[in-house]
Amino acid sequence: MIGTTIGNYEVKRLLGEGGTGKVYLATHPTIGRHAAVKVLATSDATDPEVVSRFINEARAASGIRHPNIVDVYDSGVLDSRTPYIVMEYLDGESLKQALSRGPVALRDAIDWSCQLAEALVAAHAHHIVHRDLKPDNLFLIADPRNPGRRQVKVLDFGIAKLQCPTHHQVHRTRTGALLGTPLYMSPEQCMGSKDIDARSDIYSFGVILYEMVSGNLPFDSDSVWDVMNMHINDQPIPPGTYRLSLPTLLEAIILQALSKEPRQRQQSMADVLSQLAPLRESLDTSPDITASAAQDAIRLAQADRRFGGDDILAFLTEIDEMLDAPLGMEIVGGAAALLGHGAKSPTKDINSFGAFDERIRQSAVLTTLRIPLNRAPTSDVLGFYDDRRVRLYLPFRKLVIWVPDRYDLLFMKLVRASRHDVQVLEEMHAYRPFDIDAIIEKYNDSPRLDRIGRQLQVVMHRLFGEAAKGLRRLGRLTRRS
């Protein structure tokens, strides 16, 4: 096959193979365009039903013509009477491969689900129901329209149902044949109903979106029949159980799509798309409006929550994955102590200033944990900060994190010296002891000490015990002779 010409394309190499055939990379010799050539397995070329599905795939995809559906260039039959399809070559990965790494960032889940919904709106407008939506049949490539984002491509319309009475339905199924993939099938598919319409795709869409945001399937079992029974009879665990920060609106959309009765689901993919619109707008709306308002809501919702060092690192990792250019972020307070100076006490938020950027605030509302972000009160903080910054070498691609020198952070904490602040300083001291002489040397003549006399005495005693008795506070920090 390699080196031969199929249609107008010269076959270059094998890309992959499966139970139904092989896929080759081919190139148009004149215009240089790459294509993927799908050739049906010789063993299936004499099976009318398999051939019918293969032809159906070409007919269904080519009839829709949508940027989120793989483009079909040509189809035909080889001299060996084996059918082939020439289609758009895609360089990327399947959604299944992406999900193998766990749940996706909310920004991506919302963006990709909207693209999938748009593709299905177009397919349904052509009276085509896919009937086999699953992560294997969704491909992610670099989005030429939106640098830094990914474009969804819907594949494999092999068992799509052409509903329009003006189309001749070539594909027929054997009695009792199971069409679809059980983990993503609608209840009516599981029951073998002949009345499958667009609302079956809505259910499968709901399963996929559930998996994207939670990292879990709504129904799973080693037994195909158990899974099908669950689709028919069991209620799914709300996806927010796995992702506590999941927006209520998004969870409601998913659960409605997973309704057992088609009449209780959204009645069209256009309905789903309109429900997703407010979430999608939050990706592109001006950050000084939407992101700030969203952060205020997050701050209220998370008021009683505390976040440890691992939480903060996971939060920043998600932000890093959303950035399309390098960006610095300067963190102070408890989060800085957790990330860079050995503290263990959880914090309720992240305080930042200097290089703090609205792109970070906008991305933060789409993360899993959605930790509140605050601009540090610079009038309080800068008075005890001499810009001795420390860069943290964390496993990020774009995000660069800076924190204050540990002695500057000590004096920032002394501004309030709450019980939590003192505990953090004790943890920092246990991790790497402060030097009492270094404190005196750095701050002995600073007029800034006038504001924190009492706090200083308390903290120094907590950190140094008996050694602190050799200190007195008379306008400046001195050592008793």
Side-chain angles (χ1 to χ4, degrees), residues 3 45 49 73 93 121 135 158 209 212 221 240 307 381-382 480:
E49 182 177 337
Y73 303 145
E93 66 175 351
V121 167
L209 184 49
M212 280 200 289
S221 172
F307 304 92
V381 172
L382 289 179
R480 183 180 296 168

Side-chain angles (χ1 to χ4, degrees), residues 320 326-330 391-392 396 398-402:
D320 177 66
L327 189 62
M329 181 179 184
E330 194 163 0
R391 179 176 175 178
L392 302 183
F396 299 148
K398 302 291 186 181
L399 196 58
V400 178
I401 302 296
W402 299 87

Side-chain angles (χ1 to χ4, degrees), residues 59 193 200 206 208 249 272 292 300 324 349 391 411 438 440 445:
R59 175 184 292 107
S193 173
S200 179
I208 294 168
L249 173 59
V272 176
S292 297
L300 290 172
D324 53 14
D349 51 24
R391 179 176 175 178
F411 274 81
I440 294 171
D445 295 319

Side-chain angles (χ1 to χ4, degrees), residues 19 41 61 90 111 116 124 161 226 286 291 329:
L90 303 176
D111 184 25
L116 174 56
H124 296 168
K161 181 178 180 181
D226 284 348
S286 175
M329 181 179 184

Side-chain angles (χ1 to χ4, degrees), residues 76-89:
V77 180
L78 301 175
D79 292 339
S80 61
R81 304 192 63 79
T82 302
Y84 69 86
I85 301 173
V86 182
M87 64 183 68
E88 179 182 8
Y89 171 67

Side-chain angles (χ1 to χ4, degrees), residues 121-161:
V121 167
H124 296 168
H126 285 76
H127 309 283
I128 296 171
V129 181
H130 191 286
R131 295 201 296 178
D132 195 22
L133 293 172
K134 56 185 177 181
D136 267 329
N137 287 340
L138 303 176
F139 212 78
L140 304 171
I141 63 173
D143 191 340
R145 304 165 298 179
N146 297 292
R149 294 189 181 181
R150 302 175 88 179
Q151 183 177 2
V152 176
K153 289 283 188 175
V154 183
L155 314 178
D156 200 351
F157 281 81
I159 66 168
K161 181 178 180 181

Side-chain angles (χ1 to χ4, degrees), residues 82-303:
T82 302
Y84 69 86
I85 301 173
V86 182
M87 64 183 68
E88 179 182 8
Y89 171 67
L90 303 176
D91 185 10
E93 66 175 351
S94 69
L95 178 59
K96 181 178 180 180
Q97 290 171 305
L99 287 172
S100 69
R101 299 188 291 271
V104 302
L106 280 179
R107 169 185 286 274
D108 291 334
I110 294 167
D111 184 25
W112 299 348
S113 62
C114 286
Q115 291 186 54
L116 174 56
E118 289 174 340
L120 293 174
V121 167
H124 296 168
H126 285 76
H127 309 283
I128 296 171
V129 181
H130 191 286
R131 295 201 296 178
D132 195 22
L133 293 172
K134 56 185 177 181
D136 267 329
N137 287 340
L138 303 176
F139 212 78
L140 304 171
I141 63 173
D143 191 340
R145 304 165 298 179
N146 297 292
R149 294 189 181 181
R150 302 175 88 179
Q151 183 177 2
V152 176
K153 289 283 188 175
V154 183
L155 314 178
D156 200 351
F157 281 81
I159 66 168
K161 181 178 180 181
L162 305 178
Q163 292 188 301
C164 181
T166 60
H167 285 79
H168 174 58
Q169 182 67 40
V170 177
H171 175 54
R172 294 289 184 268
T173 64
R174 297 186 184 98
T175 302
L178 183 64
L179 291 182
T181 304
L183 291 171
Y184 302 90
M185 283 168 52
S186 67
E188 54 269 33
Q189 282 180 291
C190 293
M191 291 186 289
S193 173
K194 295 181 179 179
D195 298 322
I196 301 297
D197 59 24
R199 293 171 297 181
S200 179
D201 280 352
I202 291 175
Y203 185 93
S204 300
F205 171 93
V207 176
I208 294 168
L209 184 49
Y210 184 109
E211 187 176 10
M212 280 200 289
V213 301
S214 73
N216 295 275
L217 286 160
F219 306 112
D220 197 4
S221 172
D222 292 334
S223 165
V224 169
W225 305 112
D226 284 348
V227 171
M228 294 172 66
N229 182 62
M230 292 176 188
H231 280 303
I232 296 169
N233 296 304
D234 293 358
Q235 293 301 320
I237 296 172
T241 304
Y242 303 106
R243 192 171 193 160
L244 298 178
S245 61
L246 188 69
T248 303
L249 173 59
L250 187 54
E251 182 175 73
I253 293 170
I254 294 169
L255 292 177
Q256 183 182 359
L258 293 178
S259 296
K260 304 301 180 188
E261 293 291 335
R263 58 186 173 80
Q264 294 177 345
R265 298 173 206 151
Q266 299 89 341
Q267 293 303 288
S268 70
M269 283 307 308
D271 290 344
V272 176
L273 199 56
S274 67
Q275 290 179 335
L276 288 168
L279 294 165
R280 187 181 215 180
E281 289 169 4
S282 71
L283 302 179
D284 303 310
T285 306
S286 175
D288 59 345
I289 299 174
T290 300
S292 297
Q295 273 292 317
D296 290 341
I298 289 169
R299 193 168 293 108
L300 290 172
Q302 308 280 40

